[in-house]
């Protein structure tokens, strides 16, 4: 699944420059990233990565007394096939509800003798047959036992069926149920999405099953290993179309319940897991590939969006990405069609349902007239992520959710390869460093982090499963698999994947199955890769223990050592590790611009004499950030690196220029190097034109703004940033012919946004005049927006911050009228930039009104407001006052919910705020925090670390910014 939430690159850049401006011009904002990416999140979801929550480390309590008290299904029966008919009502009934009715037959085989059937069912009202919730018959000569008692076990979400005798091992049976459920707007299971065409409200019936909501649509064995074939039929009104995983047969007109309706049946699916099911009833239309195309590809969306060509880019890129993955996996696409549909309401970024991929509109639709290059990148990377799952995840599926990291981490990593094949001039593979690796390192450096792979017995309840959809799973998973691919080589990695997919197709695996296939590829490679241990032995240290090392290299002696890296050196790690927090570390490195032979650090301390340098030589380790670790050096090498950056920065590769900044700032946070050294790594930016170093500096300076934008450090800090960014602003002014053109390079377009955002926010008069005039032109002629799509987030935010009620109301009107989701997202963010407190409070209240702010966007909007230095205390008070309502109505188990806690508390750095957070935890302990449980503990840990950091660093940081802002030279 895609990360839960995505923020466009330009929007993310504005957010990362959070607080970099006078309050009258621009306001700080917290960035939530989600590539699937967002979502993934939150994805989806993902701008940079804002850490999601981490799963609880506690083991599930005492052994259940009865089988139905256990959250895991027994292994006594195994499904073979389902025949499901569903009829969603797209008009409200006499009780004021939208509902669906259905019937389902499941054929299953008895694997072990049993007189008990447990099948998942949640929030369904089942029809009674002779006092029971189901019917049971035997097949192929088997006699079905009589039902003695049935009931719904709400806590564990089961339909419990007790029998008067045992099912016979090896025999098959069929169970039949009829039911009615609510077609709610809760974004889970079979749910309702709404949109308007003109003044007419339209209803879409759609699905989101992952991880545990197929049971809300019909009774089913709702675990990934319980694969089966599904025969789906949908009943729907005339004027609508029905979609499902498989291709449809010819729809038929029928009369049912006195209504003239359409019945659409679908071909049987491949053998698949319940969480990958999808079905949609809508008035959408589509664009498709030509008839002669081997695989039918259709892009579905609102009729207006398709007519405007918003699906054209997705259609153009889907085929080539599928072809890339067929070659990469050495395996044909397993299905005959690939439907992709953009939904107005969708909780994640996208979902890899086999044959019917569902997306947020922003993750599939692209309009060149209004969408930015960041929007375009988001579309191609999310499509690539979801298509990667068609093999890895769908064809071969994890046995249980504790191995989710392999599913999502892999798709995240190879999504960059697929996107690179579709857009080869963008150099998109490098952006995994910014989008995934840098951000997740901040999460994994906390004592409250967690290993990639959890114990199966620790992941039982639905909320525990939902907690796994975090940045560790997606981004660290991607990072360590990228590292593995680097030291195996891409060819060997792909060869192992191909045999893995072929061996386990249509079945389930654990992560060690992949290691074994990769090891076979290694063993058959000539010449030998010379690995120090097997793939499994090396990788176990990266997936079975949390965190990562900081590798310290002394270039005077050649000594190398490793240590578990923690952002707060005073934090206590109470999670034991069988490896004692040591790793097998592949070190790729270069000396004074020349790449050297890779070295493996296999113990806590070692000596590698080739790493000794002479006078004026410099060393950079972890080239291209291929490894998941940080690097520290002796003071002389740090000085030599700074000298090199000052004299000829291009001698150091661009990724490593970004890495030097990111490592230095994080090492300073951990009290390993001085904060002044970290700040000195930003001095060369006066001469830097590339995006990655600037973006990395922005993110790290964002922490300084969060800590100091309410203190006397703010002014000198602003003056220094203004001094550094002015040459970049002038550079882009020149190459764009005074802002009349857009740079040709993909990342140059991103860095243009950096230049404008930072220049405006630090008070460059020419910049503020520019953005204000553009926004005024638009206000004077709302039908003609003169602002380039790449720059809109920046300009909107700057103008709204500088303006008042008139600007805010205009932006709100344009937000409500926006027919393109990516444009609406930019405005939704920009509305949080106002400096007027009552407008921010009103905007917060809108978040609880789905007619104003969609449920899928509510938590993100609150986090945007919390990113505003004025809005932060308002948002925190709002969350505390409305916690019970937000938690119950907006889904404490949703994938992005932990971001609400993180986003509203990331500025906390005082004892008063720490005590407020403790009180909040205590006040809501009884109701719990759902998927945000560990996010609360992380916030407490982060706040304590912030308090300590400010106490230690404030005085010298103030002096350094004051001195540097007054200095005339580099």
């Amino acid at each position: 699944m895609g990360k839960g939430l995505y923020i466009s690159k330009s929007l993310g850049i504005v957010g990362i420059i959070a607080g970099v401006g006078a309050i009258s011009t621009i306001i700080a904002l917290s960035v939530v990233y989600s590539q699937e990416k967002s979502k993934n999140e939150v994805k989806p979801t993902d701008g940079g990565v804002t850490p999601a929550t981490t799963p609880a480390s506690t083991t599930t309590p005492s052994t259940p007394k009865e089988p139905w008290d256990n959250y895991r299904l027994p292994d006594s029966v195994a499904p073979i096939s389902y025949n499901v008919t569903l009829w969603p009502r797209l008009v409200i009934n006499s009780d004021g509800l939208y509902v669906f009715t259905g019937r389902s037959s499941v054929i299953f085989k008895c694997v072990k003798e049993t007189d008990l059937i447990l099948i998942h069912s949640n929030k369904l009202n089942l029809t009674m047959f002779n006092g029971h919730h189901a019917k049971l018959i035997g097949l192929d000569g088997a006699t079905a036992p009589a039902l003695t008692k049935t009931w719904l076990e709400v806590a564990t979400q089961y339909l419990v069926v007790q029998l008067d005798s045992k099912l016979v091992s090896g025999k098959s049976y069929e169970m039949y149920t009829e039911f009615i459920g609510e077609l709610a707007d809760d974004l889970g299971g079979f749910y309702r999405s709404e949109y308007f065409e003109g003044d007419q409200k339209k209803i879409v019936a759609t699905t989101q099953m992952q991880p545990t909501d197929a049971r809300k649509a019909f009774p089913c064995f709702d675990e990934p290993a319980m694969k089966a074939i599904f025969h789906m039929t949908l009943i729907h009104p005339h004027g609508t179309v029905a979609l499902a995983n498989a291709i449809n047969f010819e729809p038929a007109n029928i009369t049912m319940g006195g209504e003239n309706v359409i019945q659409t049946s679908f071909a049987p699916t491949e053998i698949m897991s319940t969480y990958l099911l999808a079905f949609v009833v809508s008035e959408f239309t589509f664009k498709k590939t030509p008839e002669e195309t081997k695989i039918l590809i259709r892009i579905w969306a609102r009729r207006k969006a398709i007519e405007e060509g918003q699906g054209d880019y997705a259609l153009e890129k889907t085929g080539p990405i599928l072809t890339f993955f067929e070659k990469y996996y050495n395996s044909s696409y397993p299905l005959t069609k690939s439907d992709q549909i953009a939904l107005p309401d969708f909780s994640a970024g996208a979902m890899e349902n086999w044959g019917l991929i569902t997306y947020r509109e922003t993750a599939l639709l692209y309009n060149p007239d209004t969408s930015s290059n960041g929007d375009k990148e988001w579309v191609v990377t999310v499509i690539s992520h979801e298509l990667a799952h068609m093999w890895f995840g769908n064809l071969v599926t994890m046995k249980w959710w504790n191995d989710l990291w392999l599913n999502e981490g892999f798709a995240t990593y190879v999504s960059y390869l697929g996107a690179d094949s579709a857009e080869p001039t963008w150099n998109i593979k490098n952006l995994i460093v910014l989008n995934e690796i840098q951000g997740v390192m901040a999460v994994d450096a906390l004592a409250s982090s967690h290993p990639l792979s959890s114990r199966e017995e620790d992941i039982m309840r639905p909320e525990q499963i939902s907690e796994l959809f975090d940045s560790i799973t997606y981004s660290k998973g991607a990072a360590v698999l990228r590292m593995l691919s680097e030291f195996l080589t891409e060819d060997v990695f792909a060869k192992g994947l191909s045999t893995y997919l072929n061996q386990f197709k249509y079945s389930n695996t654990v992560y060690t199955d992949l290691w074994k296939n990769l090891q076979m590829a290694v063993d058959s490679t000539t010449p030998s890769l010379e690995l120090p241990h097997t793939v499994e032995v090396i990788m176990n240290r990266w997936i079975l223990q949390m965190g990562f090392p900081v590798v310290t290299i002394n270039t005077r002696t050649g000594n190398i050592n490793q240590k578990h890296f923690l952002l707060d050196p005073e934090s206590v790690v109470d999670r034991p590790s069988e490896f004692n927090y040591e790793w097998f570390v592949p070190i790729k490195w270069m000396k004074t611009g020349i790449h050297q032979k890779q070295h493996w650090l296999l113990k806590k301390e070692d000596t590698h004499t080739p790493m000794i340098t002479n006078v004026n030589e410099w060393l950079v380790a972890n080239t291209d950030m291929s490894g998941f670790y940080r690097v520290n050096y002796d003071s002389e090498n740090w000085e030599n690196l700074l000298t090199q950056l000052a004299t000829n920065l291009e001698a150091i590769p661009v990724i490593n220029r970004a890495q030097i900044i990111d490592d230095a700032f994080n090492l300073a946070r951990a009290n390993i190097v001085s904060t002044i050294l970290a700040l000195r790594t930003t001095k060369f930016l006066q001469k830097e034109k590339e995006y990655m170093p600037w973006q990395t500096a922005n993110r790290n300076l964002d922490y300084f703004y969060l800590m100091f934008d309410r203190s006397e450090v703010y002014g000198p800090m602003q003056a220094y940033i203004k001094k550094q960014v002015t040459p970049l602003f002038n550079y882009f002014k020149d190459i764009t012919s005074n802002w009349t053109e857009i740079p040709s390079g993909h990342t140059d377009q991103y860095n243009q946004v950096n230049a404008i955002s930072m220049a405006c926010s630090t008070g460059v008069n020419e910049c503020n005049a520019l953005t204000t005039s553009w926004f005024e032109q638009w206000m004077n002629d709302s039908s003609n927006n003169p602002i380039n799509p790449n720059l809109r987030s920046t300009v909107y935010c700057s103008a709204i911050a500088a303006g008042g009620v008139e600007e805010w109301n205009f932006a709100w009107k344009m937000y409500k009228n926006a027919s393109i989701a990516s444009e609406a997202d930019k405005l939704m963010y920009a509305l949080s930039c106002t400096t007027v407190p009552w407008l921010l409070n009103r905007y917060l209240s809108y978040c609880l009104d789905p007619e104003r702010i969609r449920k899928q966007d509510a938590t993100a909007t609150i986090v945007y407001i919390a990113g505003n230095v004025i809005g932060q205390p308002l948002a925190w008070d709002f969350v505390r006052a409305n916690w019970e309502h937000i938690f119950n109505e907006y889904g404490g188990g949703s994938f992005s919910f932990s971001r609400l806690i993180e986003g509203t508390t990331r500025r906390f750095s005082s004892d008063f705020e720490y005590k407020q957070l403790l009180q909040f935890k205590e006040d809501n302990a009884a109701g719990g925090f759902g998927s945000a449980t560990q996010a609360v503990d992380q916030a407490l840990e982060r706040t304590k670390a912030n308090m300590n950091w400010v106490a230690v660093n404030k005085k010298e940081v103030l002096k350094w910014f004051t001195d540097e802002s007054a200095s005339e030279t580099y």
Side-chain angles (χ1 to χ4, degrees), residues 329-370:
Y329 294 128
N330 192 25
S331 173
S332 298
Y333 177 65
L335 309 178
T336 59
K337 63 106 170 173
S338 176
D339 280 321
Q340 301 184 85
I341 187 166
L343 298 166
D345 299 283
F346 192 70
S347 60
M351 179 61 213
E352 66 269 19
N353 315 299
W354 217 5
L356 176 55
I357 306 173
T358 46
Y359 295 80
R360 278 193 183 210
E361 289 192 336
T362 51
L364 188 65
L365 303 182
Y366 172 77
N367 185 321
D369 294 330
T370 59

Side-chain angles (χ1 to χ4, degrees), residues 212-453:
T212 58
D213 279 339
R215 64 194 68 173
K216 289 177 63 180
F218 62 95
C220 56
F221 298 99
D222 199 10
E223 291 187 0
M226 293 288 189
K227 289 190 170 185
I229 294 170
F230 295 85
H231 305 260
M232 296 298 306
T233 298
L234 293 172
I235 310 298
H236 53 106
H238 286 275
T240 63
V241 64
L243 300 172
N245 301 85
I247 198 72
N248 62 280
F249 298 123
E250 187 67 30
N253 292 321
I254 65 168
T255 300
M256 182 173 286
E259 293 186 48
N260 185 16
V261 291
I262 300 174
Q263 176 177 283
T264 301
S265 296
F266 299 85
T269 68
E270 300 291 341
I271 299 170
M272 59 183 287
S273 302
T274 51
Y275 80 86
L276 295 169
L277 286 168
F279 27 91
V280 180
V281 172
S282 72
E283 295 181 36
F284 287 1
T285 189
F286 64 93
K287 284 195 173 179
K288 68 174 183 175
T289 49
E291 295 295 337
E292 65 273 14
T293 308
K294 180 179 70 170
I295 300 167
L296 172 64
I297 299 169
R298 296 183 293 192
I299 308 299
W300 296 81
R302 292 176 291 109
R303 184 171 299 276
K304 183 177 181 182
I306 293 297
E307 290 172 351
E308 291 176 350
Q310 294 183 42
D312 292 358
Y313 181 69
L315 185 63
E316 175 191 339
K317 296 302 177 185
T318 295
I321 293 173
L322 277 174
T323 299
F324 168 82
F325 281 126
E326 285 186 316
K327 294 177 181 177
Y328 184 73
Y329 294 128
N330 192 25
S331 173
S332 298
Y333 177 65
L335 309 178
T336 59
K337 63 106 170 173
S338 176
D339 280 321
Q340 301 184 85
I341 187 166
L343 298 166
D345 299 283
F346 192 70
S347 60
M351 179 61 213
E352 66 269 19
N353 315 299
W354 217 5
L356 176 55
I357 306 173
T358 46
Y359 295 80
R360 278 193 183 210
E361 289 192 336
T362 51
L364 188 65
L365 303 182
Y366 172 77
N367 185 321
D369 294 330
T370 59
S371 302
S372 68
N373 68 320
D375 299 328
K376 193 174 189 179
E377 182 190 315
W378 180 242
V379 169
V380 74
T381 51
V382 176
I383 290 173
S384 183
H385 181 114
E386 305 311 326
L387 294 179
H389 275 307
M390 299 300 105
W391 291 263
F392 204 100
N394 297 10
L395 182 64
V396 179
T397 310
M398 67 210 158
K399 178 184 175 185
W400 183 242
W401 297 105
N402 61 309
D403 278 337
L404 177 69
W405 73 271
L406 189 58
N407 193 15
E408 296 299 351
F410 179 84
T412 300
Y413 166 52
V414 300
S415 70
Y416 287 87
L417 307 184
D420 182 69
S421 74
E423 294 288 1
T425 64
W426 288 4
N427 203 22
I428 209 168
K429 286 192 285 189
N430 286 352
L431 295 182
I432 193 173
V433 172
L434 290 177
N435 296 346
E436 315 296 340
I437 299 173
Q438 287 184 357
V440 77
M441 278 184 153
V443 190
D444 207 26
L446 298 175
S448 54
S449 187
H450 67 92
L452 274 170
S453 187

Side-chain angles (χ1 to χ4, degrees), residues 834-877:
T834 181
T835 62
V836 182
W838 73 265
L839 285 175
L840 290 169
N841 270 324
R842 184 174 73 178
Y843 197 23
L844 283 165
S845 70
Y846 287 178
C847 294
L848 299 186
D849 182 356
E851 295 295 319
R852 289 188 165 99
I853 300 292
R854 290 184 181 275
K855 281 191 172 185
Q856 68 177 19
D857 298 323
T859 57
T861 303
I862 296 169
V863 170
Y864 290 159
I865 295 167
N868 178 329
V869 67
I870 294 174
Q872 191 276 324
L874 304 178
W876 173 236
D877 289 346

Side-chain angles (χ1 to χ4, degrees), residues 188 211 219 416 647 773 799 805:
Y416 287 87
T647 54
S773 66
V805 176

